[in-house]
Amino acid sequence: MEPNKTTTAPLINLSQKLDGTEDTAAFARHVAEGLSQTQKTLLSRYFYDGQGSRLFQQIMELPEYYLTRCEFEVLQTHKQAIAAHFSDPGFFHLVDLGAGDALKTKILLQELTQSQKGFDYVPVDISGDAMQQLRGTLQKEMPLLEVQAVVGEYFSALDWMHQHKPDRKVVLFLGSNIGNFKEAESQNFLRSVRRYLKAGDKLLLGVDLRKDPETVLKAYSDASGVTAAFNLNLLTRINRELGGNFNLEQFRHYALYNPQDGVMRSFLVSKIEQEVHIGALQQSYHFDAWETIHTENSHKYTLPQVEALASASGFKVEKVFQDKQCRFADVLLTVAS
Ligand code: AVI
């Protein structure tokens, strides 16, 4: 390949909406369903509007939020071994689900290119802006890397890959994103990924491990209040997109970790008895004083749990990579025969 020759292909846009924005009708339906339940809930997937994504970037830099630093350490420490596992046996497509700015993945991309492994990079993200930006930065930083960025949902992207890039795949699902699924959902998710893979394909799964409950709790109740702002931003989003009149002063963030089941649960708590009206739903919702809205689960795993989850989803564990303090693991799974 000629030096400095860019191999970045045009963006593939599989998103239903041309601008990649979330479907407001689905948002309205989910909010209506969640707030009508006896124990009110909102789905954590709606955290990530523009402001929510910026707040999440800030969370990742918090001293209390150990997850990102630990995963960096895992990838930095084990990059050579990980690259060797990926490229065994030969060429592969590296499919990065939820790539975002690919800050962590770049550690692997650099290692794979330096050690001249045969692969191309397929970042997948629902945000068209994020994929445009990533294409641009990779073009500058790693001009020899072959990049095919895809904008869309994970499974539309895997479906597209199945039709257009049938060679061996290594899928990345980093950052403990699996931990935000409900238990049954995480298995369904991995099973669905498995359906798009064949013998020899692999999945590198980022999981947050069980640890001192205090450490976990602090990561979701940071002293500077960024996680609280991230959680409360869901109400701002409902106000803006669905014509709600939530008064943010009258709600607070509350995080609760249960070390028995390893689940970090996040809530918004109404400080007073109040009515909230949501224009787009033509509905008012009553809150008792100290009534909660459940907004997120973040699962913390034991390694045997990860092994059980993998085998229930049609994978087996090939190798576990951990940081020094064993707080976080990137687990390499292969398709079980
Ligand atoms: C995206 N996800 C893995 C984060 C987590 O740790 O569960 C989201 C988050 N919620 C609060 N802080 C970070």
Side-chain angles (χ1 to χ4, degrees):
M1 204 180 296
E2 297 162 40
N4 295 329
K5 179 177 175 263
T6 173
T7 47
T8 304
L11 205 76
I12 300 292
N13 195 341
L14 306 173
S15 156
Q16 309 289 72
K17 301 253 167 200
L18 283 177
D19 61 0
T21 52
E22 201 121 27
D23 185 348
T24 311
F27 183 35
R29 199 176 59 248
H30 285 135
V31 169
E33 274 168 22
L35 294 185
S36 308
Q37 289 172 34
T38 327
Q39 297 208 321
K40 294 181 172 65
T41 60
L42 289 170
L43 297 178
S44 60
R45 78 165 80 142
Y46 292 112
F47 280 144
Y48 303 93
D49 62 352
Q51 175 64 357
S53 302
R54 280 188 288 279
L55 286 165
F56 184 56
Q57 290 292 333
Q58 288 180 34
I59 287 177
M60 290 193 287
E61 285 163 20
L62 289 170
E64 294 96 332
Y65 196 74
Y66 58 85
L67 288 83
T68 311
R69 275 190 313 281
C70 289
E71 193 169 35
F72 261 105
E73 185 191 322
V74 174
L75 298 174
Q76 198 59 51
T77 310
H78 303 286
K79 60 188 176 188
Q80 284 178 340
I82 295 173
H85 278 273
F86 282 4
S87 57
D88 177 21
F91 181 86
F92 61 97
H93 301 296
L94 185 65
V95 187
D96 192 358
L97 299 181
D101 60 8
L103 222 56
K104 281 176 284 194
T105 309
K106 281 183 191 170
I107 298 172
L108 297 178
L109 294 176
Q110 259 142 13
E111 177 60 33
L112 288 161
T113 38
Q114 269 165 27
S115 52
Q116 301 190 318
K117 308 286 191 214
F119 78 107
D120 66 5
Y121 179 49
V122 187
V124 176
D125 206 287
I126 194 65
S127 161
D129 286 351
M131 289 302 86
Q132 283 288 12
Q133 265 185 28
L134 181 59
R135 272 177 85 233
T137 48
L138 288 175
Q139 233 163 355
K140 278 196 212 112
E141 292 170 13
M142 295 180 214
L144 295 184
L145 180 67
E146 285 191 44
V147 180
Q148 174 64 81
V150 179
V151 179
E153 303 276 344
Y154 298 155
F155 294 110
S156 340
L158 286 169
D159 209 46
W160 181 87
M161 290 289 297
H162 186 68
Q163 293 169 42
H164 297 90
K165 288 183 175 270
D167 301 321
R168 197 168 75 81
K169 291 172 196 57
V170 174
V171 177
L172 302 179
F173 196 50
L174 303 179
S176 193
N177 287 322
I178 192 79
N180 294 133
F181 288 119
K182 288 190 189 124
E183 213 156 297
E185 281 174 1
S186 56
Q187 216 183 84
N188 288 341
F189 174 81
L190 291 183
R191 276 202 190 134
S192 305
V193 173
R194 164 69 186 83
R195 267 185 233 121
Y196 286 99
L197 304 183
K198 330 189 266 280
D201 290 351
K202 302 182 187 204
L203 168 66
L204 188 68
L205 184 68
V207 289
D208 193 16
L209 299 174
R210 299 280 182 101
K211 58 186 63 64
D212 182 346
E214 282 299 326
T215 306
V216 179
L217 189 59
K218 281 188 186 142
Y220 294 83
S221 265
D222 60 283
S224 51
V226 181
T227 309
F230 175 70
N231 200 4
L232 284 159
N233 180 57
L234 250 179
L235 303 184
T236 308
R237 185 172 182 182
I238 295 175
N239 286 350
R240 187 184 60 246
E241 294 183 22
L242 303 178
N245 67 353
F246 278 102
N247 176 355
L248 269 65
E249 297 294 311
Q250 300 301 0
F251 286 86
R252 61 158 296 191
H253 164 71
Y254 183 72
L256 178 72
Y257 180 58
N258 179 346
Q260 270 189 323
D261 63 7
V263 183
M264 177 72 233
R265 292 180 173 84
S266 297
F267 301 92
L268 289 165
V269 186
S270 174
K271 294 183 191 170
I272 54 166
E273 184 178 4
Q274 56 182 319
E275 294 288 320
V276 174
H277 185 75
I278 301 182
L281 307 179
Q282 296 179 319
Q283 184 75 43
S284 290
Y285 297 92
H286 178 83
F287 288 85
D288 288 330
W290 308 116
E291 186 176 344
T292 57
I293 310 174
H294 172 252
T295 53
E296 185 179 51
N297 280 353
S298 301
H299 288 255
K300 313 298 161 196
Y301 299 89
T302 64
L303 287 175
Q305 273 181 326
V306 178
E307 224 174 299
L309 175 63
S311 82
S313 321
F315 289 98
K316 59 177 191 288
V317 175
E318 180 171 317
K319 182 90 188 152
V320 178
F321 301 98
Q322 291 181 73
D323 61 307
K324 258 209 206 95
Q325 295 183 79
C326 300
R327 288 181 165 190
F328 197 94
D330 280 309
V331 182
L332 186 63
L333 307 177
T334 47
V335 165
S337 40

